[in-house]
Amino acid sequence: MKRIALALLLMPLAACGQDQPDTLTVFAAASLQETFTELAEDFEKEHGVKVEFNFGPSSGLAEQINAGAPADVFASASVKTMDGVEDTQDPETFAVNTMQIAVPADNPADIDSLDDLTKKGVKVALCQADVPCGTVAAEVFANAKLTVTPVTEETDVKAVLTKVQLGEVDAGIVYVTDVNAAGDKVVGVDIPAAVNASTDYPIAALDDNDLAREWVELVLSDEGRAVLDTHGFTTP
Amino acid sequence: MASRPPRTRTPLPLAVAAAVAVAFLLLPLVSLVTRVPWADVGTILASDEVGTALKLSLLTSTLATAIAIVLGVPLAWLLARSNARGIGLLRALVMVPMVLPPVVGGVALLSAFGRRGVLGQWLDDWFGVTIPFTTTAAVMAATFVAMPFLIITVEGAFRLADQGLEEAASTLGASRMRVFRTITLPLARPALIAGAVLCWARALGEFGATITFAGNANGRTRTMPLEVYLAMESDPDAAATLALLLLLISVAVLLLLRRRWWTVGR
């Protein structure tokens, strides 16, 4: 019995000896979910590795990285969030995203424009103010000189999209790429270019790790740009 | 009964394991205290947003506990005393919210009471009432996850109660409700208090179901746990301060509970 217990206790030490070079951990903004997952398919085959993603609000991910989370690459939805991360290796902007209003497929509140969001009784979902999509949404409203009180401030842009999809809110401010990704489940209402705001997406390797650098190169390459374009990002 | 020696030495393996357990449970709490930016505590706690979140949390937890008592005690009595078939299954089902991951609870609440939910859509169509994103939703989310704690505690007391006293009261002419009010409930008081405290503490800490079903809006649905989560995204030290506040409230409640237990006698 004692021998078994001892063996069980020592097992994890055996695993320590081996390096685990065949997993790449990428922390990325929630809005990059579809694009990065697509790019990972080819990357995994070419390099024979597994790419593990952690998608979420850029601000939250940055805090996790600073607290020691084991990320190899970080792709953020705002330059400000990337600047808050220690130990990044030369961040580079790889995409730009703008905002759009997302409404449920049947548009129950008849939202046609940004102004409609201020109508009485319209339920709007936004991202939390510190999350990039929330900051940009606030910019849009400031540009349009509108005050919109949301019924909920979600933790990331995908959570806003979900609330719209479920029909729990009448509208949400999300990225154009998110409306694209949701297909038939939501309808996009354009924001006039004059008041719309955009955000730059920087990417950086966090380690002196070949695999990490190769992922960054892939995202910045022509192949990467093509995938980003298809999903609705603008590439610089 | 043989008398025990005044002090029994703890076997070494047990002592070591217990010491590790204590360290594991206490280290995070102690570390939290050290993480708090003591110089800024005043500013952080004095902010309007924190005050609002705190008041909202206290309101929703207390309301949730009140509802849990009004609805849960009768259910606990039914589970303890009824001989109907299927009671066992019913007991298992009402315990589910207790073990369900809170976010799953939130999703389930949306399916029932959301704007397109099973009950919610009728509320919306007939009365124009929507529940998500209201303080009511926050109370419902807290009640959903916390009520089973009260039910299970009180049911245990009802089961163990000496039914002889109740029978005596019946033979003396008391109606069933009177027996319940004057005999059964008072005898179950320690369990009722313990159950209510557990329920209140669980309701205070509810996050997953609240953020999914009730959303996150200042003053209406942003309870303290959501406020802590929000603070974590931008200012971990402020989050630690708020977390410490919640911790102190929980500890205070636990201490109060022990006193009440001492003063209630049979």
Side-chain angles (χ1 to χ4, degrees), chain A residues 166-185:
Chain A
L166 288 174
E168 295 300 338
V169 293
D170 299 313
I173 305 284
V174 298
Y175 297 115
V176 302
T177 51
D178 296 307
V179 175
N180 264 355
D184 299 327
K185 303 202 196 98

Side-chain angles (χ1 to χ4, degrees), chain B residues 41-252:
Chain B
V41 163
T43 350
I44 295 170
L45 293 181
S47 82
D48 282 334
E49 210 177 301
V50 170
T52 316
L54 190 58
K55 283 191 220 127
L56 187 66
S57 261
L58 294 174
L59 174 73
T60 55
S61 323
T62 311
L63 276 177
T65 308
I67 296 170
I69 292 174
V70 167
L71 297 181
V73 171
L75 179 56
W77 193 92
L78 189 77
L79 291 175
R81 299 296 174 82
S82 168
N83 287 323
R85 285 177 53 179
I87 277 289
L89 180 62
L90 182 63
R91 179 183 301 113
L93 286 176
V94 301
M95 291 307 145
V96 166
M98 197 162 72
V99 297
L100 207 59
V103 170
V104 176
V107 173
L109 285 166
L110 269 182
S111 320
F113 302 108
R115 222 154 64 146
R116 306 257 170 102
V118 168
L119 187 66
Q121 61 181 323
W122 303 117
L123 285 173
D124 192 27
D125 287 341
W126 291 348
F127 304 106
V129 166
T130 54
I131 297 177
F133 314 126
T134 58
T135 311
T136 311
V139 174
M140 283 171 70
T143 314
F144 185 75
V145 300
M147 189 155 79
F149 287 90
L150 183 119
I151 297 174
I152 207 177
T153 315
V154 174
E155 192 211 336
F158 285 157
R159 274 171 173 273
L160 295 173
D162 180 2
Q163 295 195 39
L165 289 168
E166 295 176 7
E167 282 162 23
S170 280
T171 55
L172 288 171
S175 69
R176 282 178 299 174
M177 262 313 281
R178 186 158 178 201
V179 170
F180 180 70
R181 263 190 313 111
T182 56
I183 312 274
T184 326
L185 266 188
L187 283 179
R189 193 152 74 119
L192 191 58
I193 294 172
V197 170
L198 265 179
C199 176
W200 191 86
R202 178 68 188 88
L204 186 71
E206 179 42 44
F207 175 82
T210 313
I211 201 169
T212 311
F213 179 52
N216 180 13
N218 194 20
R220 233 171 335 138
T221 54
R222 188 175 298 157
T223 53
M224 277 299 278
L226 270 66
E227 186 67 45
V228 173
Y229 186 76
L230 188 63
M232 266 309 282
E233 305 246 315
S234 52
D235 188 354
D237 288 340
T241 314
L242 300 177
L244 184 65
L245 180 60
L246 275 177
L247 173 64
L248 290 174
I249 295 175
S250 311
V251 169

Side-chain angles (χ1 to χ4, degrees), chain A residues 8-28:
Chain A
L8 282 173
L9 279 174
L10 290 175
M11 249 167 55
L13 289 175
C16 273
Q18 295 172 332
D19 218 27
Q20 292 270 356
D22 30 39
T23 319
L24 178 72
T25 311
V26 177
F27 278 29

Side-chain angles (χ1 to χ4, degrees), chain A residues 120-171:
Chain A
K120 192 165 179 283
V122 171
K123 298 186 205 289
V124 180
L126 296 177
C127 287
Q128 285 172 4
D130 285 326
V131 177
C133 63
T135 323
V136 188
E139 250 185 81
V140 172
F141 290 134
N143 290 346
K145 305 210 197 341
L146 291 173
T147 322
V148 173
T149 318
V151 289
T152 179
E153 291 173 30
E154 298 292 329
T155 52
D156 65 40
V157 74
K158 291 298 185 193
V160 173
L161 194 65
T162 305
K163 290 281 170 22
V164 173
Q165 240 174 268
L166 288 174
E168 295 300 338
V169 293
D170 299 313

